[in-house]
Amino acid sequence: YKRSYLVADQRNYVVLLIQQTVRLIQVVGQIVFLLLTHNYIIYLLILIFSTLLNNVAITAYINKKHPWIKKGTKEKLNKSEKKPIFDNVKSIVIYKLGSVILNGTDNLIIAGFLKTAYVGLCSNYVLLISTVSTIISQAFSGLSASIGNYNVNADPVSNERIFEQLTFIGFWIFGFLSISLACLLNPFIQIWLGEDYVLSESIAISLAASFYFLVINNVPASYRTAMGFFRQARTAPLLASVINIGLSIILAKTVGLAGVFIATSISRIFTFCIIDPYYVYKLGFGKSSKKYFNIFLLRIMVISVTFLITRYLISCVNIDGIIGFFVKAITSI
């Protein structure tokens, strides 16, 4: 709850600074002890200790800067104040549970309907994509408090204008990253791990598409949560999970490994990418979301065409090795 105070106070950078400092200590400690002892238990104990250290550090910072929080208060919330809080928390729990189910089923389906070895091969790709996703999530988590603050003080017209600007910036950044991942994942894996760990281009493209439809919804999702619309979207992840599992089984059998990730993209498009902006426009801006979805489809077309052009240009680069990868990366940029 003390961490939440900093985030709400638009000082998430303090939380990130503490987290990343502790994370650096954790990783260095884990590397050193693995090299010296080869003991996995110590590796895990360092992880637990780091989580504890992170919480202690944030608590110490808050207690020093804001001692009034430490003292607490004798005032109690009445029932009318408690009810919406608990309703929202319940909705968030349902939402998070659905998200865990959605994000945890792909590997089970790959292992069950295709090959277990594919799980290991995909994990290399997922590791790279997850690293990019984490950086983006950190950046946008810091925006939530600012969006909430602006939402309270600004009129709906100004709110919508800022929303449109942020979605455009998001499209530009996420589109660039998605195209770069689609074009550069395989060359990078080839240099990093070798030819035996490279999957087909269609799988790299389907993974990049899945990444795009995950992160492109960051702005609408941030606005929905900042506006307090938790109950309205609480079933979205569960619905996405049902669609994802059903489509993944069908496409895994007909298309193969790429089909599993295509199913994930489709499930996100028809749930998160529709539900979040719909409620932002209907309940937040008090107007139709038709304009947003028209632009959303247009941007998918723009990214698709840009990807085909970039892919063609990169295919013209006939240089191997690290130098070749950097030339392809520059071409992609």
Side-chain angles (χ1 to χ4, degrees):
Y1 67 95
K2 292 182 178 180
R3 180 189 289 110
S4 298
Y5 173 78
L6 284 174
V7 175
D9 199 34
Q10 302 188 58
R11 285 187 291 159
N12 193 48
Y13 63 89
V14 176
V15 177
L16 293 179
L17 180 63
I18 293 171
Q19 285 179 342
Q20 295 308 319
T21 303
V22 173
R23 173 70 175 161
L24 181 63
I25 295 168
Q26 172 199 319
V27 171
V28 171
Q30 286 175 320
I31 290 171
V32 170
F33 276 93
L34 276 179
L35 288 171
L36 293 176
T37 67
H38 298 273
N39 191 318
Y40 188 58
I41 299 297
I42 294 176
Y43 175 91
L44 295 176
L45 287 173
I46 292 172
L47 178 62
I48 296 169
F49 172 77
S50 299
T51 305
L52 180 64
L53 179 62
N54 183 50
N55 289 332
V56 169
I58 289 173
T59 301
Y61 177 86
I62 285 284
N63 289 345
K64 183 179 179 181
K65 296 289 184 181
H66 307 282
W68 60 269
I69 292 180
K70 191 177 179 181
K71 295 176 183 177
T73 178
K74 293 180 180 179
E75 294 178 28
K76 300 290 183 182
L77 294 173
N78 58 46
K79 287 186 178 180
S80 63
E81 290 172 319
K82 284 182 180 179
K83 191 177 186 305
I85 293 173
F86 280 98
D87 285 345
N88 285 336
V89 170
K90 188 163 55 176
S91 298
I92 292 169
V93 169
I94 294 169
Y95 191 94
K96 292 291 184 182
L97 179 63
S99 297
V100 171
I101 296 170
L102 174 63
N103 296 326
T105 52
D106 282 357
N107 283 347
L108 294 173
I109 290 167
I110 291 168
F113 291 90
L114 297 169
K115 291 180 181 178
T116 307
Y118 281 151
V119 176
L121 293 172
C122 286
S123 68
N124 300 318
Y125 287 76
V126 172
L127 174 65
L128 297 172
I129 293 171
S130 297
T131 303
V132 178
S133 297
T134 301
I135 295 168
I136 290 169
S137 297
Q138 295 286 14
F140 273 84
S141 65
L143 273 178
S144 296
S146 299
I147 291 169
N149 184 60
Y150 191 82
N151 179 61
V152 170
N153 296 310
D155 59 275
V157 175
S158 300
N159 249 334
E160 185 184 359
R161 186 179 68 250
I162 296 298
F163 175 81
E164 288 175 347
Q165 290 171 351
L166 287 174
T167 51
F168 174 75
I169 292 168
F171 151 72
W172 199 90
I173 295 170
F174 305 148
F176 162 70
L177 290 172
S178 301
I179 292 168
S180 297
L181 286 169
C183 294
L184 300 173
L185 273 172
N186 276 352
F188 185 85
I189 293 289
Q190 187 175 20
I191 294 169
W192 176 33
L193 299 170
E195 191 67 43
D196 293 340
Y197 290 87
V198 175
L199 295 169
S200 68
E201 186 186 30
S202 62
I203 295 167
I205 294 169
S206 62
L207 278 165
S210 178
F211 163 81
Y212 176 78
F213 291 113
L214 168 66
V215 295
I216 196 61
N217 203 51
N218 269 327
V219 173
S222 295
Y223 262 80
R224 179 184 58 75
T225 53
M227 290 173 171
F229 305 139
F230 299 104
R231 183 178 55 82
Q232 291 82 352
R234 63 183 176 182
T235 57
L238 291 172
L239 179 60
S241 300
V242 172
I243 297 171
N244 184 43
I245 291 169
L247 274 178
S248 290
I249 292 171
I250 294 168
L251 293 178
K253 291 179 178 179
T254 55
V255 179
L257 183 57
V260 177
F261 305 115
I262 292 170
T264 304
S265 295
I266 294 170
S267 67
R268 290 188 186 281
I269 292 169
F270 287 99
T271 51
F272 298 102
C273 292
I274 292 176
I275 291 171
D276 286 337
Y278 172 77
Y279 284 116
V280 167
Y281 271 88
K282 184 182 179 182
L283 303 180
F285 303 148
K287 61 192 299 186
S288 170
S289 53
K290 184 178 178 181
K291 176 185 172 184
Y292 171 86
F293 290 118
N294 287 337
I295 294 172
F296 182 80
L297 292 172
L298 177 64
R299 286 172 177 169
I300 291 174
M301 292 169 62
V302 170
I303 284 178
S304 300
V305 172
T306 310
F307 162 69
L308 291 173
I309 295 169
T310 308
R311 179 177 172 234
Y312 170 74
L313 291 172
I314 286 176
S315 69
C316 296
V317 178
N318 296 315
I319 307 170
D320 295 323
I322 296 175
I323 295 173
F325 175 78
F326 277 111
V327 173
K328 290 174 183 177
I330 292 166
T331 306
S332 179
I333 292 167

